[in-house]
Short mmCIF file of all heavy atoms in Angstrom, two decimals:
data_model
loop_
_atom_site.label_atom_id
_atom_site.label_comp_id
_atom_site.label_asym_id
_atom_site.label_seq_id
_atom_site.Cartn_x
_atom_site.Cartn_y
_atom_site.Cartn_z
N PRO A 1465 10.86 -17.94 247.94
CA PRO A 1465 11.97 -18.47 247.14
C PRO A 1465 13.09 -18.91 248.12
O PRO A 1465 13.42 -18.21 249.07
CB PRO A 1465 12.43 -17.21 246.36
CG PRO A 1465 11.21 -16.34 246.31
CD PRO A 1465 10.42 -16.58 247.55
N THR A 1466 13.71 -20.04 247.86
CA THR A 1466 14.64 -20.62 248.73
C THR A 1466 15.96 -21.09 248.20
O THR A 1466 16.01 -21.66 247.18
CB THR A 1466 13.97 -21.88 249.50
OG1 THR A 1466 12.82 -21.48 250.16
CG2 THR A 1466 14.95 -22.64 250.41
N VAL A 1467 16.99 -20.65 248.91
CA VAL A 1467 18.39 -20.91 248.46
C VAL A 1467 18.91 -22.03 249.40
O VAL A 1467 18.82 -21.91 250.59
CB VAL A 1467 19.32 -19.66 248.61
CG1 VAL A 1467 20.76 -20.01 248.47
CG2 VAL A 1467 18.91 -18.69 247.50
N ILE A 1468 19.38 -23.09 248.79
CA ILE A 1468 19.95 -24.18 249.51
C ILE A 1468 21.47 -24.15 249.32
O ILE A 1468 21.96 -24.19 248.19
CB ILE A 1468 19.37 -25.54 249.00
CG1 ILE A 1468 17.95 -25.64 249.30
CG2 ILE A 1468 20.16 -26.74 249.66
CD1 ILE A 1468 17.21 -26.96 248.75
N ALA A 1469 22.23 -24.08 250.46
CA ALA A 1469 23.68 -24.04 250.36
C ALA A 1469 24.15 -25.45 249.91
O ALA A 1469 23.92 -26.41 250.60
CB ALA A 1469 24.24 -23.61 251.61
N SER A 1470 24.82 -25.46 248.70
CA SER A 1470 25.27 -26.73 248.24
C SER A 1470 26.75 -26.80 248.58
O SER A 1470 27.59 -26.12 247.92
CB SER A 1470 25.04 -26.68 246.73
OG SER A 1470 25.39 -27.92 246.19
N THR A 1471 27.06 -27.64 249.58
CA THR A 1471 28.32 -27.49 250.19
C THR A 1471 29.45 -28.44 249.64
O THR A 1471 30.65 -28.16 249.94
CB THR A 1471 28.21 -27.80 251.68
OG1 THR A 1471 27.57 -29.02 251.95
CG2 THR A 1471 27.45 -26.67 252.39
N ALA A 1472 29.15 -29.39 248.88
CA ALA A 1472 30.24 -30.25 248.29
C ALA A 1472 29.88 -30.77 246.97
O ALA A 1472 28.64 -30.87 246.60
CB ALA A 1472 30.57 -31.39 249.28
N SER A 1473 30.86 -31.02 246.16
CA SER A 1473 30.68 -31.67 244.91
C SER A 1473 30.29 -33.18 245.11
O SER A 1473 30.89 -33.72 246.01
CB SER A 1473 31.95 -31.56 244.04
OG SER A 1473 32.00 -32.63 243.04
N PRO A 1474 29.39 -33.65 244.28
CA PRO A 1474 29.07 -35.10 244.46
C PRO A 1474 30.22 -36.01 244.23
O PRO A 1474 30.30 -37.17 244.80
CB PRO A 1474 27.97 -35.37 243.44
CG PRO A 1474 28.05 -34.16 242.47
CD PRO A 1474 28.55 -33.01 243.23
N TYR A 1475 31.34 -35.49 243.58
CA TYR A 1475 32.50 -36.29 243.26
C TYR A 1475 33.20 -36.63 244.55
O TYR A 1475 33.98 -37.60 244.68
CB TYR A 1475 33.39 -35.55 242.29
CG TYR A 1475 32.90 -35.68 240.89
CD1 TYR A 1475 32.14 -34.60 240.36
CD2 TYR A 1475 33.18 -36.72 240.10
CE1 TYR A 1475 31.72 -34.58 239.04
CE2 TYR A 1475 32.71 -36.75 238.72
CZ TYR A 1475 31.95 -35.71 238.24
OH TYR A 1475 31.46 -35.77 237.03
N LYS A 1476 33.07 -35.78 245.55
CA LYS A 1476 33.83 -35.98 246.77
C LYS A 1476 33.22 -37.10 247.62
O LYS A 1476 33.91 -37.76 248.41
CB LYS A 1476 33.73 -34.69 247.60
CG LYS A 1476 35.00 -34.49 248.38
CD LYS A 1476 35.28 -33.07 248.82
CE LYS A 1476 36.49 -33.06 249.61
NZ LYS A 1476 36.91 -31.72 250.05
N PHE A 1477 31.96 -37.42 247.32
CA PHE A 1477 31.32 -38.49 248.09
C PHE A 1477 30.70 -39.44 247.08
O PHE A 1477 29.56 -39.95 247.21
CB PHE A 1477 30.26 -37.90 249.03
CG PHE A 1477 30.84 -36.94 249.94
CD1 PHE A 1477 30.99 -35.59 249.63
CD2 PHE A 1477 31.50 -37.39 251.11
CE1 PHE A 1477 31.56 -34.63 250.48
CE2 PHE A 1477 32.18 -36.46 251.93
CZ PHE A 1477 32.21 -35.12 251.60
N ALA A 1478 31.53 -39.76 246.06
CA ALA A 1478 30.99 -40.58 244.87
C ALA A 1478 30.32 -41.86 245.31
O ALA A 1478 29.34 -42.28 244.78
CB ALA A 1478 32.08 -40.79 243.84
N ARG A 1479 30.91 -42.55 246.27
CA ARG A 1479 30.45 -43.90 246.63
C ARG A 1479 28.98 -43.79 247.12
O ARG A 1479 28.03 -44.50 246.62
CB ARG A 1479 31.35 -44.61 247.64
CG ARG A 1479 30.74 -45.93 248.15
CD ARG A 1479 31.83 -46.86 248.73
NE ARG A 1479 32.96 -47.04 247.81
CZ ARG A 1479 32.88 -47.93 246.76
NH1 ARG A 1479 31.78 -48.68 246.47
NH2 ARG A 1479 33.96 -48.08 245.98
N SER A 1480 28.80 -42.96 248.03
CA SER A 1480 27.46 -42.85 248.72
C SER A 1480 26.43 -42.36 247.68
O SER A 1480 25.30 -42.72 247.66
CB SER A 1480 27.45 -41.79 249.92
OG SER A 1480 28.31 -42.22 250.86
N VAL A 1481 26.93 -41.40 246.83
CA VAL A 1481 26.02 -40.85 245.85
C VAL A 1481 25.59 -41.82 244.77
O VAL A 1481 24.39 -42.03 244.54
CB VAL A 1481 26.72 -39.59 245.12
CG1 VAL A 1481 25.98 -39.14 243.93
CG2 VAL A 1481 26.90 -38.48 246.15
N MET A 1482 26.53 -42.56 244.33
CA MET A 1482 26.26 -43.53 243.27
C MET A 1482 25.40 -44.70 243.82
O MET A 1482 24.56 -45.18 243.16
CB MET A 1482 27.51 -43.98 242.57
CG MET A 1482 28.23 -42.93 241.83
SD MET A 1482 27.19 -42.21 240.61
CE MET A 1482 27.35 -43.50 239.28
#
Side-chain angles (χ1 to χ4, degrees):
T1466 296
V1467 167
I1468 297 177
S1470 184
T1471 50
S1473 157
Y1475 285 94
K1476 212 159 182 178
F1477 304 93
R1479 175 160 306 281
S1480 301
V1481 168
M1482 292 303 280

